[in-house]
Amino acid sequence: MCSPDLDIAEPLDAVGPPPAETTAAACERYVPLLQERAAEQLNLALTVELGDRRWDPNAGLAPLRMEGTPTDFLRAVTGRRTRDHVEGAFLWDGDPMELLDGSFTQYGPYRAG
C-alpha cells in the first residue's frame, strides 16, 4: 500500500511507487469492499476496471462502471484524495454522484471544501 509520504516524495523522486504486486494485492482487498458498500447502501452494481484487472459486481441493480489505475484507486479509497479529484481520476459509465456523495470511502462522506 502507498506510504503516507508517497504523495510528496514521489514528485521529488525521493521514493518510487509501491511494487505492482503490492498494489494489486491491496486492490484485491479494497475493490470488493467498495462493491459491497455500493450494493448495500445504494443498490449499485459497481464494475471496477483497474489496469488489466476487472471486478464484476455480484449484487446491486443500478449499473455503474469505473475505470482507472490501481494506484489512483488505492489513493482514492483510503481517503487520500478529494471528492473532485476522485471523480476526475476515473472514467465513469453512469453517474457516480450518489456513490461519491455517500459510500465511496470506508470513512464516510467527503468533507465539504
Side-chain angles (χ1 to χ4, degrees):
M1 183 158 339
C2 299
S3 73
D5 299 323
L6 183 60
D7 289 342
I8 295 169
E10 191 175 33
L12 300 174
D13 291 330
V15 66
E21 311 81 54
T22 304
T23 302
C27 287
E28 291 294 336
R29 172 76 174 136
Y30 280 100
V31 169
L33 292 173
L34 175 59
Q35 289 176 309
E36 183 179 317
R37 276 194 312 277
E40 288 180 359
Q41 296 176 13
L42 303 169
N43 201 25
L44 290 174
L46 180 63
T47 300
V48 180
E49 295 182 27
L50 304 174
D52 61 357
R53 175 72 164 92
R54 177 184 167 120
W55 290 262
D56 290 313
N58 57 15
L61 292 177
L64 179 64
R65 186 182 74 82
M66 64 181 293
E67 180 182 343
T69 70
T71 300
D72 280 342
F73 177 80
L74 290 178
R75 288 176 174 169
V77 297
T78 58
R80 310 251 336 256
R81 296 290 182 257
T82 66
R83 185 201 177 286
D84 288 343
H85 183 269
V86 172
E87 182 180 357
F90 300 96
L91 298 174
W92 300 92
D93 274 343
D95 186 353
M97 297 308 168
E98 190 176 22
L99 178 65
L100 294 174
D101 287 341
S103 301
F104 191 82
T105 74
Q106 61 191 346
Y107 308 112
Y110 291 101
R111 292 181 298 189

